[in-house]
């Protein structure tokens, strides 16, 4: 089983739709969680961190559920420019320490159509 | 600041050849890492470093060597390239909250 798993999609949605992605992680000691965005043939860039209480940045909302070991990303009012691959990232912890390694999910592809 | 500078952008090698992918950052980050990205696999960690003189293996270290003689530089060496190493490679440095990626190297091994 992969340490971080995402549904690869693709998710094809019309402009204006609301779309949600989930990501599950297997290591209950994981410390930090992030969503990255990657455009085709480009490097990933940080979209947002995910905090225990949930957080929002404009049309984007991230949630963390430690009990069920998943994080989610909600995109409201989808734009054409939201088309990209969204990568779930968790820090990898061993024992009581944080090794500093980040583990990526395989990414979820979103295609927003006119 | 230039951020993370990664070279070359493209490279074609023959099986058995060696090469070094260069990575430099000017943000004084202690943590640097190398990832490879293959279709359907996401980014997989090859090697990482938490400071000058310290390196450690990631998820897929076989066939790759690294060194960290300075805070700024973290080169990745392929000693004897194999077709299985055809991939897109990303170097990254990080703060506690954020990874900064280089623009990537598309490597093909024939």
């Amino acid at each position: 089983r992969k340490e971080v798993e995402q549904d690869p999609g693709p998710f094809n949605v019309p402009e204006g739709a609301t779309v949600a992605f989930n990501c599950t992680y297997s290591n209950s000691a994981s410390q930090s969680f992030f969503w990255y965005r990657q455009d085709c043939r480009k490097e990933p860039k940080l979209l947002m961190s995910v905090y225990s209480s949930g957080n929002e940045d404009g049309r984007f909302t991230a949630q963390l559920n430690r009990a069920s070991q998943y994080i989610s990303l909600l995109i409201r009012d989808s734009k054409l420019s939201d088309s990209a691959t969204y990568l779930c990232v968790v820090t990898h912890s061993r024992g009581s320490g944080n090794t500093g390694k980040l583990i990526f999910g395989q990414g979820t592809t979103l295609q927003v159509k006119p | 600041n230039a951020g993370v500078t990664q070279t070359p952008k493209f490279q074609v090698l023959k099986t058995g050849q060696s090469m070094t992918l260069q990575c430099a950052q000017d943000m004084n980050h202690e943590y640097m890492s190398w990832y490879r990205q293959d279709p359907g696999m996401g980014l997989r960690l090859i090697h990482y470093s938490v400071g000058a003189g310290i390196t450690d293996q990631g998820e897929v270290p076989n066939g790759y060597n690294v060194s960290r003689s300075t805070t700024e530089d973290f080169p990745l060496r392929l000693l004897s390239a194999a077709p299985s190493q055809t991939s897109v490679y990303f170097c990254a440095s990080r703060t506690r909250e954020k990874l900064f990626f280089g623009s990537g190297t598309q490597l093909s091994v024939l």
Side-chain angles (χ1 to χ4, degrees):
Chain A
R1 182 187 172 188
K2 292 181 182 177
E3 189 160 348
V4 178
E5 293 203 67
Q6 295 179 251
D7 180 347
F11 285 62
N12 294 301
V13 302
E15 270 188 294
T18 295
V19 61
F21 309 135
N22 283 337
C23 167
T24 58
Y25 60 95
S26 60
N27 190 333
S28 60
S30 296
Q31 297 291 322
S32 302
F33 309 88
F34 308 91
W35 283 102
Y36 275 72
R37 170 191 169 129
Q38 185 175 26
D39 294 296
C40 188
R41 300 183 186 277
K42 299 285 189 179
E43 70 273 21
K45 294 184 178 178
L46 179 66
L47 178 65
M48 59 196 304
S49 302
V50 186
Y51 302 118
S52 297
S53 56
N55 48 299
E56 190 173 305
D57 183 3
R59 297 181 293 108
F60 299 84
T61 301
Q63 297 277 355
L64 167 64
N65 185 319
R66 285 192 183 273
S68 300
Q69 294 183 206
Y70 77 84
I71 67 173
S72 64
L73 177 67
L74 181 77
I75 305 175
R76 292 181 299 278
D77 189 22
S78 300
K79 311 292 185 191
L80 295 176
S81 58
D82 293 334
S83 298
T85 297
Y86 292 84
L87 302 168
C88 168
V89 183
V90 307
T91 57
H92 183 193
S93 299
R94 287 183 189 157
S96 59
N98 181 346
T99 65
K101 291 191 289 186
L102 283 83
I103 306 298
F104 284 75
Q106 70 267 45
T108 297
T109 299
L110 172 65
Q111 185 67 46
V112 181
K113 299 189 180 297
Chain B
N1 288 350
V4 179
T5 303
Q6 185 180 338
T7 57
K9 289 190 182 299
F10 301 95
Q11 183 71 50
V12 179
L13 293 177
K14 294 181 179 178
T15 298
Q17 285 185 314
S18 63
M19 78 159 296
T20 300
L21 277 64
Q22 301 291 344
C23 178
Q25 51 95 7
D26 60 0
M27 298 173 283
N28 202 34
H29 292 162
E30 293 295 325
Y31 183 96
M32 296 185 74
S33 53
W34 277 100
Y35 292 87
R36 61 177 288 173
Q37 188 173 32
D38 302 292
M41 300 293 290
L43 280 88
R44 291 183 291 170
L45 182 65
I46 304 171
H47 285 284
Y48 69 102
S49 169
V50 297
I54 306 169
T55 63
D56 205 350
Q57 295 181 348
E59 188 182 354
V60 288
N62 293 340
Y64 308 95
N65 283 349
V66 292
S67 59
R68 185 90 181 273
S69 56
T70 66
T71 299
E72 293 78 19
D73 299 298
F74 190 45
L76 178 72
R77 298 184 187 84
L78 285 71
L79 297 179
S80 179
S84 61
Q85 294 177 304
T86 293
S87 188
V88 178
Y89 292 84
F90 289 101
C91 176
S93 68
R94 69 172 283 199
T95 62
R96 186 174 184 276
E97 287 292 316
K98 187 176 178 180
L99 270 172
F100 296 79
F101 284 91
S103 56
T105 297
Q106 190 168 321
L107 175 67
S108 295
V109 183
L110 306 177

